[in-house]
Amino acid sequence: MEENSLEQPKMSHRELLEKGLAAFRKVLSHPVPATREDMCDLLNFEVTINFLIANMKAAEGKTQEELMEMAKKAISPE
């Protein structure tokens, strides 16, 4: 008897976040009862995921030194 395989092709964390965010937006496109606090939490979640995706894209193909320089710029005021 052959089992159904749930294995998915290997994807990067960024790709998984992008797919999850697309699904999240699709679900939220339908009317859902939510409080104002829930909506704020959902918007903060979406902004955080977008931030992670943008930073993952920026980091792709960078060397360790380049990543360290990006981190220094992100945390030190100029």
Side-chain angles (χ1 to χ4, degrees):
M1 185 186 250
E2 193 174 304
E3 290 184 38
N4 288 337
S5 175
L6 296 177
E7 283 189 41
Q8 298 288 324
K10 297 279 185 198
M11 294 196 308
S12 70
H13 289 113
R14 181 185 56 80
E15 291 170 318
L16 291 171
L17 287 170
E18 287 174 331
K19 286 177 108 16
L21 186 57
F24 172 75
R25 288 180 177 147
K26 187 176 180 182
V27 168
L28 287 184
S29 69
H30 303 285
V32 177
T35 66
R36 182 182 174 132
E37 184 178 346
D38 290 337
M39 292 307 295
C40 287
D41 290 342
L42 290 171
L43 288 171
N44 286 333
F45 174 74
E46 182 178 11
V47 167
T48 301
I49 296 301
N50 283 324
F51 175 79
L52 290 170
I53 291 169
N55 284 301
M56 288 174 149
K57 284 181 181 178
E60 286 177 355
K62 302 280 189 212
T63 65
Q64 186 67 29
E65 292 81 21
E66 291 170 323
L67 292 173
M68 291 302 292
E69 191 61 36
M70 287 173 62
K72 286 179 189 175
K73 286 180 182 177
I75 60 173
S76 64
E78 292 193 28

